[in-house]
Amino acid sequence: MGRNLQSDVGGRDRLRPVDLARAHGLSTQAVRNYEEAGILPAAQRTASGYRVYTPLHAAALSAFLALVPGHGHGTAAAIMRAVNGGADDEAFRLVDGSHAQLLDDRRTLQAVESALRELERTAGGGAGGGSGARPGGGSGSGAQPGGGPGTGVGLRPGRGAGAGSGPGLHTGTGAGAAFPSGGGTLIGPLARKLGVRPATLRAWEGAGLVRPPRDPRTGYRVYDEAAVRDARLVHQLRRGGYPLERIAPLLDRVRAAGGLEPLEGTLRDWHAQLSARGRALLAGAAELEAYLRARG
């Protein structure tokens, strides 16, 4: 375990709580709280009961404060408690876990960017200069994959799905097919367009991933522009092997950005946040290593 953490109390090595607090921009109560939480090693007491800290406590506090930005307060505290309790392997396991989480977050970001690129790629083609795949664009032809002539599935409310489709979106097959009263597409045509079963779309809805409104006249699900976008993004991520529970926060980012186009700025911010976490993990590791060396 190394030398006694309090063996050098006295002389210039002796620090008051206020000395430790001022050096780190904290209150003396915060320093006491950290000691009680095990983040700092226990302090010796004077004959009158006052706490006595040492440079080793200062190193422990520096390590903890450096760990917080990369690991979060809870994990940083657990790391310090493990080290101060002599469980170095547990501390290293916690450190490894934060690095693994960062790597997983980077892979998630790559998956989102890959899915968005695939959406752009599939939205760029189609007869007549457009396809039904891209939010904000209509279908260039009444013939679509997964259906015969006249089975158009446009994705933009208020645009035609082919010649003679009328003011709404074509959501059925052949003459006399139903139109949602407010525009959009129904579950069957969208499922065919994506190559999935309607039950799959309902499962995604049940998981909160896709939120189609209901036609007030018929009660049917009507996939508007935002719901189609979400369904296509879920489809791409599912094809990449992502479980439903991991897709939900990604869609939240898309919705918070207001769609795919504004998401570019969000993705840049996401990259910056991951880079900042990476540097913070390095800084925390350096301070933790300094504390371990000082502890002996």
Side-chain angles (χ1 to χ4, degrees):
M1 176 64 189
R3 64 188 174 88
N4 188 320
L5 299 179
Q6 302 297 330
S7 62
D8 54 1
V9 173
R12 62 185 179 84
D13 290 328
R14 183 170 178 152
L15 298 172
R16 300 168 300 168
V18 67
D19 298 326
L20 208 57
R22 287 174 178 169
H24 294 86
L26 301 171
S27 68
T28 55
Q29 184 59 51
V31 173
R32 289 191 288 268
N33 290 343
Y34 288 152
E35 180 193 346
E36 291 171 2
I39 293 169
L40 304 183
Q44 286 187 343
R45 301 285 186 130
T46 65
S48 55
Y50 291 107
R51 289 176 172 86
V52 177
Y53 294 117
T54 70
L56 197 63
H57 290 90
L61 187 53
S62 294
F64 170 69
L65 295 176
L67 289 169
V68 169
H71 297 270
H73 189 282
T75 301
I79 291 169
M80 294 304 298
R81 281 194 292 267
V83 169
N84 292 330
D88 288 4
D89 284 346
E90 172 62 13
F92 300 150
R93 185 191 68 80
L94 292 167
V95 171
D96 292 344
S98 292
H99 282 277
Q101 181 61 59
L102 178 59
L103 179 59
D104 188 61
D105 289 346
R106 289 191 186 280
R107 288 170 174 162
T108 296
L109 175 55
Q110 291 172 352
V112 172
E113 291 177 323
S114 177
L116 295 179
R117 285 194 298 268
E118 179 64 17
L119 288 181
E120 292 176 353
R121 186 188 68 78
T122 57
S131 77
R134 184 167 190 167
S139 170
S141 169
Q144 297 290 337
T151 313
V153 184
L155 303 185
R156 184 171 183 176
R159 294 289 297 272
S165 62
L169 289 181
H170 199 292
T171 59
T173 303
F179 291 88
S181 59
T185 187
L186 299 181
I187 191 168
L190 179 58
R192 288 194 296 272
K193 182 70 176 177
L194 296 178
V196 301
R197 297 177 300 164
T200 299
L201 287 172
R202 287 192 287 269
W204 294 350
E205 180 183 352
L209 303 180
V210 182
R211 305 169 183 173
R214 298 278 182 158
D215 188 311
R217 179 172 57 86
T218 65
Y220 294 154
R221 294 173 177 84
V222 178
Y223 291 80
D224 58 10
E225 183 176 348
V228 169
R229 175 204 66 203
D230 291 348
R232 292 184 62 82
L233 188 52
V234 172
H235 183 48
Q236 292 297 331
L237 292 170
R238 289 293 286 155
R239 289 177 61 186
Y242 275 77
L244 296 181
E245 62 271 16
R246 293 184 59 191
I247 294 174
L250 308 184
L251 285 174
D252 287 342
R253 286 180 177 269
V254 174
R255 291 171 184 137
L260 298 180
E261 292 181 5
L263 191 61
E264 182 177 348
T266 299
L267 294 175
R268 285 197 302 269
D269 292 343
W270 197 352
H271 274 289
Q273 291 167 9
L274 295 180
S275 295
R277 276 173 57 196
R279 293 197 65 174
L281 289 174
L282 290 176
E287 290 290 341
L288 181 60
E289 170 61 18
Y291 174 54
L292 292 172
R293 287 199 308 269
R295 186 196 63 176

